[in-house]
Amino acid sequence: MPPDGDFYSILGVSRAAGADEIQRAYRKLARQYHPDVNKDPDAEERFKQISEAYDVLSDPKTRERYDAFGEDFRRVPPDMDPADYARVRAAAGAGRGGRSSRSAEGGFGEGVRFSTGGAEGIDIEDLLGGMFGGGGFGGGGRSTRGWGPIPGSDQEVEIELSVEEAYRGTSRSLTLQGADGTRGNLDVKIPAGVQNGQRIRLKGQGGQGTGGAAAGDLYLVVRIAEHPRYRLDGRDITVDLPLAAWEGALGASVDVRTPGGDAKVKVPKGTSTGRRLRLKGRGLPNPKGRPGDLYAEVRLMVPHRLTPEEERLFEELAGTSKFDPRRRR
């Protein structure tokens, strides 16, 4: 948990904020602090905090656990009652001379850091390992309600990809952080055709269990960044296709840029702005089925400045054509 406030404070919203308000706050702050835009030395760390806060508060179930358990929500077993948790935590503090498990041990931590791309620096509190793994409170040797080994928690971290990376596939290098330092490095292959919001499971790479219990899983949550050229709708991709007025009127065969390279698209005669020309199977790949399609959306363009000859020809066309674009059909 960042020292300057909880996740609601980081996004600048109240604890009663709705999903739309949280999303608007995230988008505003992400644009402001993205390292590609903001060159302030502290912007990258601020962006990481904003991304982590949004990951938690945008998911209803995760937000519910965060509201119930605070910064320790990732380490608390899924079946624990919040009232029981509060009593156990209070007892742990009393058994250690009034200090919390975090202050007494100097802070626990296990998580993930990306060395290239994606979110970084997410530290997970190893609360329950410190509370229950040492044989009870205050050195008395009594276990708490018979709890034994506790499985590691599942964890999530967001990775941001470009449209091209999602199309072709890519890789990320992760550094796994444990309570005693670095647990190791992990190269992760991101398959071609991942979609926005897709979760990639890394088995056994999440929170470490206590008392010999199994580790949890790590989930990479894919976020595909906005692109100046491509717009995504699931696996379908839309791209603008600028055409000269005569190409739309007479028809043409033109090149259109796609994430997989240039492709030819046939423009029928009489094509107007807004018409969508489909290139079947040229959207995002699908490892398990039919790929998406690419749609070239026509934008008719006219010269900003006309040569005398162009002006003469347009005037001749205007004088002879019976076409009225404002006539109701």
Side-chain angles (χ1 to χ4, degrees):
M1 171 69 65
D4 54 349
D6 67 10
F7 290 147
Y8 292 98
S9 299
I10 290 170
L11 295 182
V13 299
S14 71
R15 300 188 77 85
D20 290 343
E21 183 181 351
I22 289 172
Q23 186 178 68
R24 287 194 299 270
Y26 166 71
R27 288 179 174 176
K28 179 181 178 181
L29 292 171
R31 285 193 296 267
Q32 180 180 352
Y33 289 100
H34 195 288
D36 291 344
V37 176
N38 192 324
K39 302 305 180 184
D40 188 284
D42 297 328
E44 183 175 0
E45 183 60 31
R46 184 81 169 100
F47 181 74
K48 296 172 190 174
Q49 296 176 358
I50 293 164
S51 297
E52 183 183 10
Y54 178 69
D55 282 347
V56 172
L57 299 185
S58 62
D59 183 280
K61 292 184 178 179
T62 308
R63 181 181 179 181
E64 183 179 1
R65 286 183 58 78
Y66 176 71
D67 289 343
F69 302 112
E71 64 183 88
D72 301 317
F73 72 102
R74 292 188 176 99
R75 298 296 299 161
V76 177
D79 58 349
M80 177 175 276
D81 181 82
D84 290 340
Y85 163 79
R87 287 193 294 269
V88 169
R89 184 175 175 89
R96 289 176 177 168
R99 295 180 297 172
S100 72
S101 62
R102 182 173 182 173
S103 62
E105 303 297 333
F108 302 97
E110 58 174 304
V112 178
R113 291 187 183 275
F114 280 91
S115 60
T116 58
E120 296 187 9
I122 300 179
D123 294 326
I124 310 302
E125 293 291 326
D126 197 359
L127 171 68
L128 297 180
M131 290 168 63
F132 303 139
F137 303 119
R142 293 183 294 116
S143 65
T144 304
R145 296 180 62 185
W147 270 303
I150 300 174
S153 62
D154 291 344
Q155 299 171 0
E156 288 187 355
V157 63
E158 181 177 296
I159 57 171
E160 186 176 84
L161 305 179
S162 67
V163 173
E164 292 87 351
E165 287 177 322
Y167 183 91
R168 299 188 180 95
T170 186
S171 61
R172 288 289 189 268
S173 180
L174 290 71
T175 300
L176 304 179
Q177 301 289 335
D180 299 325
T182 300
R183 284 164 39 201
N185 296 320
L186 186 66
D187 291 329
V188 180
K189 184 176 181 180
I190 311 298
V194 293
Q195 294 181 269
N196 200 38
Q198 183 172 336
R199 286 154 50 96
I200 300 173
R201 179 190 181 203
L202 303 180
K203 186 176 181 180
Q205 300 297 338
Q208 297 298 292
T210 63
D217 297 332
L218 173 65
Y219 290 89
L220 307 184
V221 182
V222 174
R223 302 294 179 199
I224 300 180
E226 292 187 6
H227 196 282
R229 176 181 298 274
Y230 305 117
R231 302 185 295 277
L232 292 182
D233 181 11
R235 295 190 184 278
D236 293 339
I237 301 174
T238 298
V239 59
D240 288 341
L241 179 62
L243 294 177
W246 50 89
E247 289 178 318
L250 303 175
S253 178
V254 298
D255 289 332
V256 59
R257 188 182 303 175
T258 79
D262 288 347
K264 285 284 186 182
V265 60
K266 185 175 181 180
V267 180
K269 291 182 179 181
T271 293
S272 297
T273 289
R275 184 167 183 175
R276 287 160 59 85
L277 306 175
R278 177 188 178 203
L279 281 72
K280 186 176 180 180
R282 297 302 293 260
L284 286 181
N286 185 355
K288 299 182 179 180
R290 189 180 71 84
D293 298 325
L294 186 136
Y295 293 89
E297 190 166 311
V298 171
R299 296 284 183 266
L300 292 186
M301 312 292 289
V302 297
H304 291 293
R305 294 186 179 86
L306 297 174
T307 66
E309 180 62 12
E310 287 173 333
E311 188 169 356
R312 184 189 68 78
L313 291 172
F314 272 109
E315 288 174 348
E316 182 179 341
L317 175 63
T320 59
S321 176
K322 304 300 182 184
F323 174 64
D324 182 0
R326 289 166 296 281
R327 184 179 64 188
R328 293 189 177 183
R329 301 181 181 182

